[in-house]
């Protein structure tokens, strides 16, 4: 085997990894500022998404919206490639170990042969849930660091006497005072972020110092619930829409428009269903470095009940506008790039998809 044939074989055998990495990097660079705004709106009160964006950029610059980007950028490729790889491997395993093959259909059992839209959705949901749980267990420390970095300036204000943005006026109110400060005064009095937010590593070190090694997994149960259910919904809705559109067009293949529509739909649907879990997760993780005697919530259930009691169902969707605005284009782009990369690799290596 020549060197050229060797690398082509290696590329083809790892086409899922290569395609997922390409999609992950492109999606992260485009979508990270929206994720940063989402976290800010979930944990602090702003009158609108536009007010949050304006205030964040005015105080921290556009660069502030990319605070904490490095860990997810470096790990997103690894996490997404692993996610897609686990997803594809579980799909193959389910198909090869399906009770349907051994007469399960006579018992009315669901099958994983992907011969109907229903079986496509079921296979994707089961495979996606396992994939999501695996990724959550591995990425929890990185997600925890990301939340601290995204909220560094806001948490600094909380410890220096400045509260979150007022819902009614959109201005900032000083704790214990009735007067409203002007934007100029806020900029002049801007507190420096805590010293431990200087780098991602320093945040991680501070978490370990305060809470020990297990502190890196603060909020892990919420992370697993969010990612297991969210990834199940994500892949199931993607493959369901994709397969439905393929059947409606009577084609054996699907194109970029189908991938964009299916990817955008799965992003919107999954975020709508799991957003309250994500909100509670972000809120709980935002207090990991606060002393226990000043933490607002003792448990995730306490957090959920308090938000619902004070703000109703709409409170559980605080910041959802950012996620929905970014969901369709970003996830549509993810799958367009992913499917394009897979097809390109197959063309380069002259092998079937």
């Amino acid at each position: 085997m020549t060197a050229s044939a060797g690398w082509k074989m290696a590329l083809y055998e790892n086409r899922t990894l290569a395609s997922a990495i390409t999609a992950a990097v492109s999606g992260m660079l485009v979508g990270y500022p929206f994720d940063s705004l989402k976290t800010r709106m979930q944990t602090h009160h702003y009158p609108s998404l536009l007010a949050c964006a304006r205030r964040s950029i005015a105080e921290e610059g556009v660069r502030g919206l990319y605070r904490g980007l490095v860990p997810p950028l470096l790990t997103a490729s690894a996490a997404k490639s692993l996610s897609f790889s686990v997803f594809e491997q579980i799909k193959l395993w389910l198909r090869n170990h399906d009770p349907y093959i051994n007469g399960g259909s006579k018992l009315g059992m669901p099958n994983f042969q992907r011969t109907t839209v229903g079986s496509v959705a079921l296979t994707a949901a089961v495979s996606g849930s396992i994939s999501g749980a695996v990724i959550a267990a591995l990425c929890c420390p990185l997600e925890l660091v990301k939340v601290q970095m995204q909220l560094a300036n806001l948490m600094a204000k909380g410890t220096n006497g400045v509260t979150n943005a007022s819902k009614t006026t959109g201005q900032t109110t000083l704790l214990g005072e009735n007067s409203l400060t002007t934007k100029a005064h806020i900029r002049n009095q801007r507190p420096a972020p805590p010293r431990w937010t200087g780098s991602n590593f320093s945040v991680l070190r501070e978490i370990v110092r305060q809470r020990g090694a297990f502190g890196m997994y603060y909020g892990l149960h919420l992370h697993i619930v969010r990612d297991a259910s969210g990834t199940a919904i994500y892949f199931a809705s993607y493959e369901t829409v994709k397969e439905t559109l393929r059947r409606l067009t009577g084609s054996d293949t699907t194109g970029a428009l189908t991938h964009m529509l299916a990817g955008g739909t799965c992003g919107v649907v999954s975020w709508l269903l799991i957003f309250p879990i994500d909100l509670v997760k972000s809120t709980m993780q935002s207090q990991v470095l606060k002393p226990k005697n000043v933490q607002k919530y003792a448990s995730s259930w306490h957090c959920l009940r308090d938000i619902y009691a004070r703000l109703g169902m709409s409170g559980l969707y605080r910041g959802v506008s950012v996620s929905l605005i970014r969901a369709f284009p970003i996830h549509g782009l993810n799958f367009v790039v992913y499917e394009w990369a897979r097809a390109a690799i197959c063309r380069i290596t002259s092998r079937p998809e």
Side-chain angles (χ1 to χ4, degrees), residues 70 77 89 95 100 107 114 128 144 183 218 246 270 276:
V70 176
S77 54
Q89 289 299 317
R95 187 168 186 172
Y100 180 87
L107 303 175
R114 298 173 61 82
L144 188 60
K183 291 182 179 180
Y218 188 86
R246 185 191 69 79
S270 60

Side-chain angles (χ1 to χ4, degrees), residues 124-342:
V126 174
S127 304
S129 64
I130 297 173
S131 173
V134 170
I135 298 304
L138 294 175
C139 294
C140 184
L142 300 170
E143 179 91 359
L144 188 60
V145 169
K146 183 193 77 171
V147 169
Q148 308 311 306
M149 291 295 288
Q150 288 177 335
L151 300 176
N153 277 57
L154 293 174
M155 289 190 292
K157 291 177 186 177
T159 61
N160 284 275
V162 183
T163 66
N164 310 325
S166 167
K167 285 185 175 181
T168 56
T169 66
Q171 293 177 291
T172 300
T173 308
L174 294 180
L175 284 177
E177 297 182 17
N178 294 321
S179 61
L180 293 175
T181 61
T182 64
K183 291 182 179 180
H185 180 69
I186 291 172
R187 284 194 293 268
N188 293 333
Q189 299 298 321
R190 186 189 310 171
R195 192 173 300 175
W196 47 259
T197 60
S199 68
N200 296 287
F201 179 74
S202 62
V203 172
L204 186 62
R205 183 174 55 193
E206 184 67 16
I207 292 172
V208 174
R209 188 186 72 81
Q210 290 194 24
R211 290 183 171 269
F214 288 109
M216 295 187 296
Y217 289 89
Y218 188 86
L220 175 62
H221 61 296
L222 290 169
H223 202 155
I224 290 178
V225 171
R226 185 199 69 173
D227 283 11
S229 57
T231 309
I233 297 166
Y234 186 72
F235 280 119
S237 54
Y238 174 74
E239 298 222 340
T240 299
V241 173
K242 178 183 171 183
E243 180 65 13
T244 300
L245 292 175
R246 185 191 69 79
R247 293 183 180 223
L248 288 174
T249 57
S251 174
D252 292 331
T253 59
T254 52
L257 180 59
T258 295
H259 301 151
M260 173 62 77
L261 291 173
T265 300
C266 78
V268 171
V269 170
S270 60
W271 269 117
L272 276 175
L273 295 178
I274 69 164
F275 195 84
I277 302 173
D278 183 67
L279 182 140
V280 173
K281 181 197 76 69
S282 294
T283 303
M284 292 299 297
Q285 288 186 326
S286 70
Q287 63 179 21
V288 65
L289 290 175
K290 293 180 180 179
K292 288 187 177 181
N293 62 332
V294 299
Q295 287 183 2
K296 186 173 183 179
Y297 301 112
S299 67
S300 53
W301 179 240
H302 176 207
C303 176
L304 178 65
R305 284 188 305 171
D306 178 70
I307 294 174
Y308 182 77
R310 289 186 296 107
L311 304 172
M313 184 58 70
S314 63
L316 297 176
Y317 281 90
R318 190 174 65 226
V320 72
S321 58
V322 191
S323 294
L324 296 184
I325 288 172
R326 72 185 284 269
F328 197 95
I330 296 301
H331 293 287
L333 173 66
N334 273 338
F335 277 103
V336 167
V337 173
Y338 173 76
E339 299 279 9
W340 170 83
R342 278 182 67 97

Side-chain angles (χ1 to χ4, degrees), residues 38-45 151 164 282-283 286 318:
K38 177 206 62 143
T39 303
R40 293 161 188 253
M41 290 192 71
Q42 284 181 328
T43 57
H44 295 73
H45 292 295
L151 300 176
N164 310 325
S282 294
T283 303
S286 70
R318 190 174 65 226

Side-chain angles (χ1 to χ4, degrees), residues 37 40 50-65 153 157 183-184 186-188 190:
L37 291 174
R40 293 161 188 253
L50 185 59
C52 178
R54 283 178 173 172
R55 186 174 182 80
S56 298
I57 293 173
E59 296 185 353
E60 303 176 47
V62 174
R63 186 177 178 181
L65 297 180
N153 277 57
K157 291 177 186 177
K183 291 182 179 180
I186 291 172
R187 284 194 293 268
N188 293 333
R190 186 189 310 171

